[in-house]
Amino acid sequence: MSKEWPLWEIFIRGQNGLSHRHVGSLHAPDAEMAVRNARDVYTRRNEGVSIWVVPSAQITASAPSEKGLLFEPSQSKIYRHPTFYDIPDDVGHM
Amino acid sequence: MYAQMIKSTGSLKSREDMTPEEAAFQDRIDAGDKIEPTDWMPEGYRKTLIRQIGQHAHSEIVGQLPEGNWITRAPTLERKAILLAKVQDEAGHGLYLYCAAETLGVSRDDLTEQLLSGRMKYSSIFNYPTLTWADIGAVGWLVDGAAIMNQVPLQRTSYGPYARAMVRICKEESFHQRQGFSIMMKMAKGTPEQKEMAQDALNRFWYPSLMMFGPSDKDSVHSAQSMAWRIKMNSNDELRQKFVDQTVPQAHFLGLTVPDENLKWNEEKQGWDFSEPDWTEFYDVLAGNGPCNADRIEARQNAWNDGAWFRDGLMAHADKRAARAHAAE
């Protein structure tokens, strides 16, 4: 059995100057072909002005089991949000 | 519906019979949470989804064949360009779905192998031939119309990668149905011969389209678990009724007759009464005895075999370049 083409994660920058955004993945033999395939698979309707491709194997992800450890500490820090502070109406817009 | 008769692994468990992990998982689904690839999931959920998404992907890919049949014979250059774009979309839809299935731990080659060996199915509808240009209209109007009925609710399915693939697909699918209806309008308002072709296409595709939703609810044995997991959102009969209610007025607009003597408006249920398709035919087509089953698999097998040198060649080239770059470092 021959070798399967590796998997690539595809990121596209939309028309409106936003960041590149993950849109999906695809198989390709190398980076150059991944860009070409991404153009056909993910931008058939003018969805982007720039494409990034990243080998899926190169992505390091946080472990789902550490979700609590990583993200719960920020939940109690409500003073990081502007709505925590009461500013009298008389002060005007702030 | 591109996924029919998906057997779910494991029967519906009562809460008392669930392990704590299973109960927590069900709670997440009931709360409308999306399940992501690295999250814990019951083995049955994973296996059932691989079957369902895999069958859906295969249907998109095999679905290119009946339409591809008419690309070189489209009546105008514009129709040809449109049909090419539509068939290219179907390839894209297959790719989105294969990638969603792969996040569950099955490889692309494994999925392809299972299609070619017949262990995985694709929708029964693609085992019917497209004999005339009007069939291309009927396929877009009816087959894509039926697919949309099923795919729109699946945008809210519990498995994140599947739901996201559905969002992309639904965005693109409505063009498919409209281009089909546009062909039907042209034919139905054309010469008497053209109108006859349109009627003939409707006659042949009506019941196979109704079969796309799968067997009647009373014979649909695998639904309860899939519905609890939110990977099946509506019952087969519910979607079939919706499809008929939407399509009958469109047929009337075209001046065509739905080939069903029992078709009658039911004031009480505010929907159409209609005849069920011939389920013997449905099971027969699924078993491999439809008009085109052998042709479809042969075409996919040939594409796979004929493309082997290309897949291997590009991989060898990429490996060689990577080795050279490595040596130069």
Side-chain angles (χ1 to χ4, degrees):
Chain A
M1 180 115 183
S2 49
K3 195 168 131 194
E4 197 169 280
W5 288 352
L7 194 65
W8 301 76
E9 298 304 321
I10 311 303
F11 300 80
I12 307 263
R13 184 202 296 285
Q15 301 280 33
N16 39 8
L18 297 173
S19 313
H20 284 75
R21 192 167 156 230
H22 185 242
V23 292
S25 41
L26 53 75
H27 288 274
D30 56 29
E32 190 189 332
M33 284 304 293
V35 171
R36 285 167 187 259
N37 290 352
R39 177 246 192 206
D40 287 342
V41 178
Y42 291 108
T43 65
R44 289 195 302 282
R45 286 177 176 75
N46 220 12
E47 287 98 336
V49 292
S50 164
I51 300 173
W52 286 353
V53 302
V54 180
S56 305
Q58 294 296 317
I59 289 182
T60 307
S62 61
S65 55
E66 287 175 9
K67 208 154 109 187
L69 210 63
L70 287 175
F71 304 116
E72 263 163 30
S74 75
Q75 278 173 19
S76 58
K77 299 179 179 53
I78 50 172
Y79 44 80
R80 290 191 169 172
H81 298 278
T83 45
F84 178 76
Y85 304 93
D86 278 330
I87 306 290
D89 287 347
D90 307 348
V91 178
H93 177 73
M94 183 180 285
Chain B
M1 172 180 295
Y2 283 176
Q4 299 157 320
M5 305 279 293
I6 299 298
K7 190 176 177 316
S8 57
T9 301
S11 51
L12 189 58
K13 280 187 183 173
S14 67
R15 200 142 270 263
E16 299 85 70
D17 294 337
M18 288 183 186
T19 64
E21 275 169 320
E22 285 169 346
F25 180 80
Q26 190 62 49
D27 286 342
R28 286 190 62 197
I29 288 186
D30 294 343
D33 254 16
K34 293 278 184 245
I35 309 301
E36 294 298 336
T38 49
D39 295 346
W40 185 89
M41 61 184 84
E43 199 48 23
Y45 178 84
R46 198 179 67 80
K47 284 192 174 150
T48 307
L49 265 179
I50 289 177
R51 270 200 292 273
Q52 179 171 333
I53 303 174
Q55 190 184 110
H56 200 153
H58 295 325
S59 299
E60 301 282 358
I61 298 299
V62 176
Q64 295 178 100
L65 297 171
E67 294 184 293
N69 183 33
W70 279 90
I71 291 174
T72 54
R73 288 176 282 163
T76 66
L77 190 56
E78 186 185 60
R79 289 286 184 200
K80 181 174 178 164
I82 292 171
L83 187 57
L84 258 176
K86 180 191 190 279
V87 172
Q88 193 191 16
D89 271 357
E90 306 297 0
H93 296 178
L95 293 180
Y96 308 154
L97 287 160
Y98 279 132
C99 282
E102 287 174 76
T103 63
L104 293 157
V106 61
S107 78
R108 176 75 59 91
D109 282 0
D110 195 13
L111 288 166
T112 305
E113 192 279 320
Q114 291 195 52
L115 168 70
L116 297 179
S117 69
R119 278 188 296 144
M120 279 180 106
K121 304 281 184 210
Y122 52 90
S123 177
S124 56
I125 190 74
F126 301 119
N127 290 314
Y128 291 87
T130 43
L131 302 175
T132 73
W133 173 250
D135 287 10
I136 298 305
V139 166
W141 172 39
L142 300 173
V143 176
D144 288 279
I148 291 170
M149 267 308 141
N150 173 51
Q151 291 175 156
V152 166
L154 276 177
Q155 292 178 99
R156 293 176 287 111
T157 188
S158 63
Y159 189 56
Y162 192 24
R164 292 192 284 275
M166 278 302 128
V167 170
R168 293 192 70 88
I169 288 174
C170 285
K171 249 187 224 162
E172 298 176 351
E173 199 84 66
S174 124
F175 136 60
H176 297 179
Q177 195 189 13
R178 282 166 166 243
Q179 67 85 34
F181 194 72
S182 142
I183 292 173
M184 291 305 274
M185 283 198 296
K186 198 86 179 172
M187 304 285 288
K189 315 270 178 219
T191 64
E193 289 81 5
Q194 285 174 316
K195 184 168 179 185
E196 205 179 306
M197 279 168 74
Q199 181 64 54
D200 173 57
L202 172 58
N203 292 349
R204 281 180 292 108
F205 276 93
W206 176 253
Y207 287 107
S209 300
L210 297 187
M211 292 178 199
M212 288 176 69
F213 299 95
S216 165
D217 290 351
K218 58 183 190 300
D219 305 314
S220 180
V221 282
H222 309 300
S223 293
Q225 178 63 81
S226 289
M227 284 194 156
W229 279 333
R230 291 178 67 83
I231 56 183
K232 184 183 172 86
M233 312 297 285
N234 308 82
S235 85
N236 297 350
D237 286 338
E238 205 178 316
L239 290 174
R240 193 170 8 249
Q241 180 70 53
K242 238 178 126 179
F243 173 73
V244 170
D245 291 345
Q246 174 190 284
T247 310
V248 168
Q250 295 167 351
H252 291 164
F253 175 87
L254 292 171
L256 300 179
T257 310
V258 175
D260 179 359
E261 286 174 0
N262 300 317
L263 189 78
K264 210 171 126 235
W265 177 253
N266 182 329
E267 189 62 32
E268 198 180 322
K269 75 169 178 187
Q270 288 293 302
W272 292 87
D273 289 334
F274 58 95
S275 305
E276 286 201 25
D278 174 1
W279 293 116
T280 324
E281 178 183 320
F282 171 71
Y283 289 112
D284 208 34
V285 172
L286 276 194
N289 305 318
C292 301
N293 295 57
D295 287 352
R296 301 299 185 229
I297 289 299
E298 192 191 340
R300 291 313 306 153
Q301 183 71 63
N302 289 344
W304 180 249
N305 294 349
D306 296 348
W309 69 271
F310 176 77
R311 291 191 302 275
D312 292 347
L314 285 187
M315 198 64 247
H317 176 69
D319 283 346
K320 194 171 75 185
R321 281 216 310 198
R324 269 192 204 143
H326 189 69
E329 273 171 19

